Amino acid sequence: MLQLFFIRHGETEWNVEHRLQGRLNSNLTENGIRDAKLLGKRLMEIDFDAVYASPSLRTIETAKLVIGERTLPFKTDERLMEIDLGDWEGRTIDEIKAMDPDRYHLYENAPSQYANNGETFEDVESRLEAVLRDLERTHDSCNLLIVTHGVVIKVLQMICKENPIDLVWEPPFIEGTSVTLVKIEDNKRELLLEGDIAHKERKGAF
């Protein structure tokens, strides 16, 4: 049985400002750093074989805070990067709604029809599916820690549930440092946890 612990990076300065990041980056906040350390304590008893992370600085920093003093194989994979949002990146949601209301409406309400000068949700689905296939092929029965981004994890949920793209935003919301756990066994993918934040709520470990 392969278990994939998908973690969203910790809260960033731009998250607080409601500013879309995409391929750009902003620093973790004090809350983001604290939450990543809390998650590290929660996952302390989990024996991980390796860590995979998006090459964005916010995901790498989160991953290092979570694993702490552990020595683990650490790999970055560009296919785990956040959706490329083109000329929206670095702008606040209010700015985007003012400059591009029709396209933002599609992004939120009809994501299968959304297109920008970056990526579509189908593009994210394609590269994430490739990551999952590679992990299934190269790892047997083990636990993997995968630190990535909000949209990537929403697409992961969609893939595991075999939902259409227009349901990509269905709950739960993916908060910073939340855990989404996927079990893969006999070529079947099962979501065991979605957007879990028990470490923030001081509810202990797995």
Side-chain angles (χ1 to χ4, degrees):
M1 178 179 67
L2 182 61
Q3 291 199 122
L4 309 179
F5 289 73
F6 277 83
I7 311 299
R8 185 186 177 193
H9 62 79
E11 179 188 78
T12 68
E13 294 169 353
W14 282 9
N15 290 153
V16 174
E17 297 172 4
H18 304 290
R19 194 177 298 276
L20 297 188
Q21 294 174 116
R23 298 300 176 90
L24 299 182
N25 195 66
S26 67
N27 294 326
L28 296 183
T29 64
E30 289 184 7
N31 286 341
I33 293 170
R34 180 203 63 212
D35 292 343
K37 290 179 178 178
L38 286 172
L39 180 58
K41 291 179 181 178
R42 180 184 178 192
L43 299 178
M44 194 177 300
E45 302 303 317
I46 305 295
D47 184 19
F48 290 107
D49 271 34
V51 181
Y52 290 84
S54 155
S56 296
L57 292 178
R58 60 191 183 274
T59 46
I60 292 174
E61 183 177 358
T62 299
K64 290 180 177 178
L65 290 167
V66 170
I67 63 178
E69 300 300 317
R70 292 201 244 185
T71 301
L72 293 168
F74 193 114
K75 303 176 183 178
T76 59
D77 191 327
E78 290 190 355
R79 297 174 299 178
L80 292 171
M81 292 189 77
E82 184 59 292
I83 186 171
D84 183 342
L85 291 169
D87 57 9
W88 285 4
E89 294 184 353
R91 299 180 185 273
T92 66
I93 291 174
D94 285 344
E95 288 171 341
I96 294 165
K97 287 180 176 178
M99 67 180 270
D100 208 350
D102 293 340
R103 191 155 50 179
Y104 190 79
H105 176 81
L106 294 177
Y107 178 80
E108 284 210 317
N109 299 287
S112 66
Q113 300 176 47
Y114 163 79
N116 201 340
N117 57 339
E119 285 185 300
T120 64
F121 288 91
E122 288 90 343
D123 293 329
V124 179
E125 180 184 17
S126 177
R127 56 182 167 88
L128 182 56
E129 182 63 55
V131 170
L132 293 173
R133 288 197 302 267
D134 284 351
L135 294 177
E136 291 167 8
R137 186 178 66 252
T138 56
H139 294 277
D140 294 320
S141 181
C142 69
N143 300 311
L144 301 176
L145 182 67
I146 302 169
V147 187
T148 182
H149 304 268
V151 171
V152 175
I153 295 174
K154 293 307 296 180
V155 171
L156 171 74
Q157 293 172 305
M158 182 193 79
I159 289 173
C160 291
K161 295 176 181 179
E162 298 182 350
N163 279 345
I165 287 171
D166 281 334
L167 295 182
V168 71
W169 296 126
E170 76 170 11
F173 178 74
I174 301 300
E175 292 190 22
T177 72
S178 63
V179 180
T180 297
L181 176 56
V182 180
K183 180 182 78 172
I184 301 177
E185 191 171 26
D186 298 327
N187 296 316
K188 295 181 180 179
R189 300 165 181 165
E190 180 183 357
L191 283 165
L192 302 182
L193 287 174
E194 296 183 69
D196 189 273
I197 53 170
H199 53 289
K200 295 186 187 185
E201 299 169 347
R202 311 297 196 275
K203 291 183 179 176
F206 293 94

